Amino acid sequence: MFENKCILTGVKPTGKPHIGNYFGAIKPAVELGHQASRFNLFIADYHAINFMKDAEILQREIKEIACIYLAAGLNPKTDYFYRQSDIPEINEITTILYAFTPKGFMNKSHAYKACVEKNLADNKPADDGVNMGLYTYPTLMAADILAMDTDIVPVGKDQIQHVEIARDIAGAVNAYYDRDLLKLPEYVTANNVSVLPGTDGRKMSKSYNNVIPIFEDEKIVKKAVYATITDSKPIEEPKNPEDVFVYQIYKCLATPEQTAEMADGLKNGKLGYGHIKAMLLDVILEQTRDAKAVYDYYMAHYDEVRGFLEDGAARARPYAQRTLQRLKETLFG
Ligand code: TRP
């Protein structure tokens, strides 16, 4: 579907994902990437330090996110899997891009704007807690994308603006020198991605405290599943499945037959909340069993993962070197 195209995506290490992230974003991202001829997936560690300074936590989160993508099917031999900080040309390209980036773009960038709005709402100075890394975030992100001659960036809605900024900056550079120095990226919105509801029926999100964790011990997963909110209707009272949060999560993960079975049982008053929670737990454990084994293996053998990341950087780096060289030759001769 994306033949002869490069798909690139960056992930910030920001704490252990939950099943909503895994089934809603991580796995679909890897599957989409595998439709392209070249799939770059990198860990945005320079972006991460704008938000997380504690080195121990940062390193743990990098390790977890790397192992999670491997568990989700990333192929470290054929995909380009690397850390942003292993490709110094990205930072050199960023410096060049700064010269073509209107300050107004950064003022308008929503990550920064959201911070300012929150500060003002809290009666704090507009730029309270804003560091330059956050302020210039979209320029580094543009360099991530443009360095690799990326065709397509799969994004959630919140990242569209960033890809548009990357396009605009690339367009400005190309127009100034009247040459195709940088490839203009496009975004695809991952609208096939389902939003998994959480244990309270709202979107599953850490900030709502309604998540079901992934790759944890069965006991921990079970505790979260069984905490899913239900009412006090007795088993035999017929229920509309769409009103039952357990069912709403279940149908995102179960087969159509399994889903129909739970729906019928609820409608007919044959399945109670205890039953359906057990069914949900089963399907989660079943659907994550193989991936968890891969995750656990790499968490325990992280040296292998480091090797993959180094190898990925070595394979990806020539793209960034060529991009930088094109720019430097044009600019400085
Ligand atoms: N900004 C992205 C996020 O917060 C992460 C990211 C950094 C990225 N560089 C990128 C995504 C380049 C796509 C392409 O999720």
Side-chain angles (χ1 to χ4, degrees):
M1 191 172 153
F2 293 112
E3 237 171 281
N4 298 320
K5 299 280 184 209
C6 168
I7 289 188
L8 171 139
T9 187
V11 288
K12 272 200 316 246
T14 49
K16 208 165 168 186
H18 48 71
I19 63 165
N21 301 136
Y22 185 75
F23 290 106
I26 294 172
K27 263 192 90 161
V30 173
E31 280 158 15
L32 187 73
H34 285 164
Q35 294 179 26
S37 305
R38 181 157 55 95
F39 177 37
N40 285 40
L41 187 132
F42 69 93
I43 300 174
D45 48 5
Y46 274 131
H47 278 122
I49 58 174
N50 299 320
F51 311 96
M52 172 52 68
K53 308 277 187 291
D54 185 315
E56 207 175 302
I57 299 177
L58 184 65
Q59 286 166 37
R60 192 187 63 227
E61 291 185 339
I62 290 172
K63 178 175 171 179
E64 284 171 356
I65 200 81
C67 294
I68 281 170
Y69 274 89
L70 289 166
L74 191 90
N75 185 331
K77 298 266 173 348
T78 50
D79 298 330
Y80 291 79
F81 178 43
Y82 55 92
R83 273 183 306 222
Q84 188 182 33
S85 61
D86 283 337
I87 316 241
E89 288 77 14
I90 292 173
N91 305 73
E92 295 189 58
I93 293 169
T94 303
T95 302
I96 296 175
L97 299 185
Y98 281 149
F100 295 85
T101 306
K103 179 166 171 279
F105 278 13
M106 305 295 102
N107 292 339
K108 276 187 285 189
S109 157
H110 73 82
Y112 168 66
K113 239 171 71 180
C115 250
V116 170
E117 278 161 16
K118 183 165 187 310
N119 280 337
L120 295 178
D122 296 347
N123 276 325
K124 290 184 185 162
D127 281 339
D128 197 67
V130 174
N131 59 53
M132 284 304 286
L134 167 62
Y135 187 57
T136 60
Y137 188 106
T139 315
L140 175 58
M141 181 159 160
D144 291 331
I145 296 169
L146 301 174
M148 298 296 167
D149 295 334
T150 303
D151 295 287
I152 293 155
V153 186
V155 288
K157 279 213 182 70
D158 62 324
Q159 298 295 320
I160 292 178
Q161 185 196 32
H162 290 152
V163 182
E164 283 173 341
I165 290 175
R167 253 187 100 83
D168 286 348
I169 298 174
V173 173
N174 291 350
Y176 193 89
Y177 297 102
D178 197 17
R179 286 175 60 182
D180 286 335
L181 290 169
L182 298 169
K183 186 175 258 184
L184 301 195
E186 286 172 25
Y187 62 81
V188 290
T189 37
N191 53 4
N192 57 333
V193 170
S194 54
V195 176
L196 221 77
T199 55
D200 61 358
R202 292 186 288 177
K203 174 182 182 241
M204 190 177 287
S205 162
K206 258 186 218 138
S207 50
Y208 293 151
N209 224 343
N210 65 357
V211 308
I212 300 174
I214 191 157
F215 304 154
E216 293 287 355
D217 281 346
E218 193 172 322
K219 258 200 250 151
I220 297 175
V221 179
K222 182 172 177 181
K223 196 166 162 232
V225 168
Y226 277 70
T228 306
I229 294 175
T230 49
D231 55 28
S232 53
K233 290 193 185 114
I235 296 187
E236 54 290 353
E237 186 176 331
K239 298 166 195 74
N240 176 5
E242 294 302 331
D243 296 339
V244 178
F245 300 151
V246 176
Y247 172 80
Q248 287 178 9
I249 305 172
Y250 190 73
K251 72 174 183 186
C252 299
L253 304 174
T255 63
E257 295 75 33
Q258 288 173 318
T259 306
E261 188 194 335
M262 186 182 285
D264 289 344
L266 287 166
K267 282 186 225 155
N268 304 335
K270 294 237 160 59
L271 286 174
Y273 294 132
H275 297 127
I276 62 170
K277 284 179 176 176
M279 289 164 80
L280 176 59
L281 178 64
D282 274 353
V283 99
I284 291 171
L285 294 176
E286 191 186 298
Q287 296 247 2
T288 54
R289 185 166 294 118
D290 294 348
K292 181 176 187 310
V294 176
Y295 177 79
D296 289 345
Y297 174 84
Y298 284 123
M299 285 297 282
H301 298 84
Y302 191 60
D303 280 348
E304 283 185 41
V305 181
R306 277 184 211 280
F308 293 153
L309 289 164
E310 280 161 22
D311 173 62
R315 287 186 298 115
R317 208 172 158 190
Y319 289 89
Q321 284 168 330
R322 285 192 292 268
T323 303
L324 178 63
Q325 201 184 343
R326 279 199 305 276
L327 290 166
K328 284 179 80 173
E329 265 174 25
T330 306
L331 268 66
F332 308 130

